[in-house]
Amino acid sequence: MKKLLSIQELKNSPWPRRIAQALGANLLSAFAHGDCLMEGFSPFVAPWNTSFILKEVSPEIQATLQSLAKEAAKENIHFKYYFTLKEILELSANFPLEFLHIANRNEVLCGQTPLAGYKPNPNALALQCKRELQGIKLHWRETQLTAKNEKAVAAATDQLKQALLPVLYGIFHLQTGNYPENKQQVAEAYMQKTFLENIEEGLDNLLQKISL
């Protein structure tokens, strides 16, 4: 099948109508989000991530989503998450970073705007960002021990930057109260040349910026 090449093509496709009809009154929101709305996304190498907010989850609803997901995958649409409002409230206590991204980087396919007005708990967000940074730091140390050549180190550095980017968005929000406009704004704030010259020291500096 023909790939959907832009978010507008996805919104104008039959999929919003099909989703709305299949889930009916149980659907609160269906939306694209995540990497597919970031700069540099290519539908030729990655899918359109789509998630749902539902009034309730039942075996029937799960079966409906599973059936739709198989067909959607043929058009490079990936069904990622489905939540109820109660689950969002519970999960956001431990994973505020993910919900911060959803609230600020989404395109509605049908239903309501997801997490309109959402503001993460600053302490919970700081704790998650700190935990993520510590994990990235440990993984980087492992890389330094096991990398066999400069090419392997360069590849690991690229992977680190990809893993670090969503955390930096969270740190930016903690420091400014705003969600970054784009990757460049985050890179200019936190990933200057000095960071890449000494990544472990740069990670330590980022950890110091997070106050609990």
Side-chain angles (χ1 to χ4, degrees), residues 2-125:
K2 180 178 177 290
K3 283 185 179 290
L4 300 166
L5 300 181
S6 70
I7 187 62
Q8 200 57 49
E9 283 191 17
L10 174 59
K11 294 171 78 169
N12 291 338
S13 76
W15 277 101
R17 175 179 50 81
R18 290 190 64 186
I19 289 168
Q21 289 178 343
L23 298 176
N26 195 37
L27 176 69
L28 293 176
S29 181
F31 52 94
H33 65 101
D35 290 345
C36 66
L37 301 183
M38 299 290 281
E39 311 95 291
F41 168 75
S42 170
F44 293 105
V45 297
W48 297 99
N49 286 327
T50 301
S51 292
F52 309 88
I53 301 175
L54 306 170
K55 291 181 181 178
E56 62 179 8
V57 174
S58 66
E60 292 77 17
I61 289 295
Q62 290 175 321
T64 298
L65 284 170
Q66 288 166 359
S67 177
L68 284 173
K70 292 178 182 179
E71 295 186 58
K74 298 175 183 177
E75 297 187 47
N76 202 37
I77 302 168
H78 173 61
F79 286 4
K80 194 169 180 68
Y81 305 122
Y82 54 90
F83 314 97
T84 64
L85 291 175
K86 180 181 178 183
E87 287 172 334
I88 289 173
L89 184 62
E90 294 171 348
L91 290 167
S92 63
N94 292 316
F95 305 103
L97 184 59
E98 284 76 5
F99 291 103
L100 176 69
H101 291 309
I102 289 174
N104 288 277
R105 191 62 62 89
N106 68 75
E107 287 284 347
V108 178
L109 302 182
C110 48
Q112 306 168 7
T113 300
L115 282 77
Y118 173 76
K119 297 291 184 184
N121 178 286
N123 288 334
L125 181 59

Side-chain angles (χ1 to χ4, degrees), residues 122-194:
N123 288 334
L125 181 59
L127 185 61
Q128 185 180 5
C129 288
K130 185 174 182 179
R131 186 169 63 242
E132 297 287 343
L133 283 175
Q134 289 169 332
I136 290 170
K137 180 180 175 180
L138 289 175
H139 183 69
W140 178 251
R141 282 182 175 176
E142 179 188 1
T143 298
Q144 301 310 293
L145 291 174
T146 58
K148 296 180 180 179
N149 51 48
E150 290 185 5
K151 185 177 180 180
V153 172
T157 302
D158 287 340
Q159 292 175 355
L160 177 142
K161 288 191 288 187
Q162 290 300 314
L164 187 59
L165 188 63
V167 186
L168 296 180
Y169 273 62
I171 296 172
F172 187 95
H173 180 79
L174 284 168
Q175 293 192 309
T176 68
N178 298 314
Y179 190 80
E181 295 179 7
N182 50 46
K183 292 180 181 179
Q184 182 178 352
Q185 188 177 24
V186 169
E188 289 175 354
Y190 302 115
M191 283 199 291
Q192 297 290 349
K193 183 179 179 181
T194 52

